[in-house]
Amino acid sequence: MASNKSLLILPGDGIGAEAMGQVRKVVDWMDNRRSVTFDVSEDLVGGAAIDRHGVPLADETMDRALEADAVLLGAVGGPKWDNLDFSIKPERGLLRLRKEMELFANLRPALCFDALVEASSLKPELVSGLDIMIVRELTGGVYFGEPRGIEDLENGERRGINTQVYTTSEIRRVAEVAFDLARKRDGRVCSVEKANVMESGLLWREEVSKLHGEGNDDIELSHMYADNCSMQLVRTPKQFDVILTDNLFGDMLSDTAAMLTGSLGMLPSASLGSVDALGRRKAMYEPVHGSAPDIAGQDKANPLATILSFAMALRYSYDHGEEADLIEQSVATLLKEGKRTGDIMAEGCELLSCSQMGDALVRKLDEASA
Ligand code: NAD
């Protein structure tokens, strides 16, 4: 049975549009061949929106994002808009989407494709088969806590203040996402904080443990201090399944985990919000990389991070895990066959442009489902 799902595509700036063009090929392929059909609409964000509307995200675009089953975003920013005031910079569009959609859980998979193990900064045996999911709390903690600011002291010194703060509900809702994810994976959650030196970390640990006891004890829960976790990630990364952590530690640990996999052009992400009365979870999917102005407009970008972000949308927003698997397996096959964009090029491999990579993937999808 065909089912229509709404998808709002926001290509943004730089290589965003080129990468999104390849996602369109995959969406069209699914429309033509499989049981998933999408109502796709497209709008502006970032510099492109500033050029058209004078703001990085128009109100109408925000409304459309709130109504869509999922939002797929390319990347924002570039030198053209670098000197604008902070309040209307391209990145503000992204922040507005995250804030108004209340996307509190950021999912960053660190998955090492076998064909790319050599690109990792770690030894191949440490990263081969690596498959970690980092769940980072995204709307609370020290980046948003009050009081904050820089103040002048009477003695002539200045003092900078930020506040790490979490409430029970903020911790529980993101921990629930982690437990749910673990249930669909290897069934293990490692919750990471600094309960030894921070009260907010102690509360985090207590609330996660409490929630674990309330119907989540099918999941194996462990706790780890953040400094140890950063060490373990580069020592024996395969020990982890799902890592659950706060905004600040998640920011750092997810970048560390990203480097284990070697390439920025391969990394997808998802940001999830609450489930509404209709059972829909607000969600935005985007590659981890930026707009790459140095290669924009040259058909050189690696579109796979954006395509893999769409695969995450299939799995988490549209409940089409099979199609997500198909895309991920086809990407793995392409890499194994030595098809590469410039950023992941290796000796003996075949160099493809962005659009050639999109075409090659569609051919793989055809083969895989023949
Ligand atoms: P970047 O991720 O855009 O690029 C870093 C390097 O990686 C560049 O050399 C680039 O060519 C390369 N690269 C990135 N993605 C690639 C891909 N898919 N294929 C091939 N090569 C790729 O980071 P940057 O240079 O620090 O930032 C450039 C602009 O992007 C800035 O305006 C920045 O603010 C913005 N940015 C946006 C986001 C976002 O939209 N989420 C994230 C990071 C940076």
Side-chain angles (χ1 to χ4, degrees):
M1 273 293 284
S3 57
N4 272 4
K5 321 272 183 185
S6 66
L7 172 68
L8 176 63
I9 288 185
L10 302 174
D13 309 315
I15 61 168
E18 295 159 56
M20 212 57 91
Q22 312 318 308
V23 173
R24 284 282 198 157
K25 291 177 185 170
V26 177
V27 171
D28 289 347
W29 183 86
M30 299 219 142
D31 267 357
N32 292 337
R33 306 289 173 115
R34 313 278 299 186
S35 53
V36 206
T37 55
F38 294 93
D39 286 331
V40 182
S41 55
E42 197 166 311
D43 211 330
L44 303 174
V45 67
I50 294 173
D51 289 351
R52 173 80 62 85
H53 304 296
V55 286
L57 189 81
D59 290 343
E60 306 81 68
T61 314
M62 187 67 243
D63 291 343
R64 291 171 83 182
L66 288 168
E67 279 162 21
D69 289 331
V71 176
L72 186 66
L73 187 133
V76 297
K80 184 178 175 191
W81 307 281
D82 272 354
N83 296 324
L84 292 177
D85 184 73
F86 185 71
S87 62
I88 57 153
K89 266 187 180 300
E91 289 76 7
R92 299 300 293 182
L94 199 56
L95 294 179
R96 182 173 179 200
L97 282 161
R98 286 181 185 155
K99 184 161 180 264
E100 295 192 24
M101 291 171 78
E102 292 182 75
L103 304 174
F104 61 81
N106 182 230
L107 277 49
R108 289 261 300 257
L111 194 133
C112 193
F113 288 95
D114 280 348
L116 296 182
V117 285
E118 298 296 339
S120 171
S121 49
L122 295 193
K123 293 188 197 104
E125 63 268 27
L126 289 182
V127 290
S128 168
L130 180 80
D131 182 1
I132 303 176
M133 178 69 82
I134 299 198
V135 180
R136 165 190 171 192
E137 201 289 328
L138 200 60
T139 52
V142 74
Y143 293 163
F144 297 94
E146 298 282 348
R148 62 184 298 160
I150 299 176
E151 59 188 31
D152 293 316
L153 301 180
E154 278 175 11
N155 65 2
E157 282 203 275
R158 296 199 301 154
R159 181 163 66 175
I161 306 160
N162 291 94
T163 305
Q164 167 82 338
V165 54
Y166 273 108
T167 61
T168 306
S169 58
E170 283 175 319
I171 298 167
R172 286 175 68 98
R173 64 183 184 176
V174 71
E176 255 163 34
V177 170
F179 286 134
D180 284 349
L181 278 171
R183 207 161 271 125
K184 292 179 191 150
R185 296 171 46 97
D186 199 34
R188 293 179 293 124
V189 170
C190 179
S191 173
V192 172
E193 26 58 12
K194 289 280 287 177
N196 49 343
V197 286
M198 296 169 76
E199 282 76 7
S200 58
L202 184 59
L203 181 79
W204 183 283
R205 185 174 287 220
E206 288 175 359
E207 292 300 333
V208 172
S209 298
K210 216 187 281 175
L211 186 70
H212 181 243
E214 294 169 14
N216 291 298
D217 49 11
D218 54 320
I219 304 298
E220 188 186 315
L221 173 67
S222 59
H223 303 274
M224 194 178 274
Y225 298 138
D227 47 344
N228 186 22
C229 184
S230 68
M231 202 163 70
Q232 297 298 330
L233 267 176
V234 291
R235 199 176 73 101
T236 45
K238 282 191 268 184
Q239 70 182 281
F240 297 108
D241 179 23
V242 175
I243 292 177
L244 162 68
T245 191
D246 74 12
N247 204 344
L248 174 66
F249 296 137
D251 197 359
M252 295 175 205
L253 295 173
S254 59
D255 273 9
T256 305
M259 273 322 291
L260 303 178
T261 68
S263 171
L264 206 51
M266 296 295 306
L267 294 167
S269 80
S271 299
L272 307 179
S274 302
V275 178
D276 66 17
L278 299 171
R280 278 187 345 165
R281 193 186 275 285
K282 293 214 173 12
M284 182 160 79
Y285 300 85
E286 55 187 310
V288 169
H289 63 71
S291 56
D294 53 335
I295 56 165
Q298 300 171 41
D299 199 20
K300 285 182 179 167
N302 183 347
L304 295 177
T306 312
I307 290 171
L308 291 169
S309 301
F310 174 62
M312 288 186 85
L314 285 167
R315 181 169 288 122
Y316 299 121
S317 282
Y318 302 121
D319 208 15
H320 278 280
E322 259 179 47
E323 278 77 6
D325 288 345
L326 186 67
I327 292 175
E328 287 163 2
Q329 282 155 15
S330 299
V331 167
T333 311
L334 273 184
L335 296 173
K336 211 161 137 199
E337 290 174 357
K339 304 273 195 283
R340 303 292 159 86
T341 43
D343 58 317
I344 50 172
M345 187 58 188
E347 218 182 308
C349 292
E350 182 189 351
L351 181 64
L352 300 188
S353 67
C354 179
S355 49
Q356 285 171 334
M357 185 59 101
D359 293 338
L361 179 66
V362 167
R363 278 197 299 276
K364 266 306 134 225
L365 291 172
D366 265 337
E367 281 170 31
S369 61

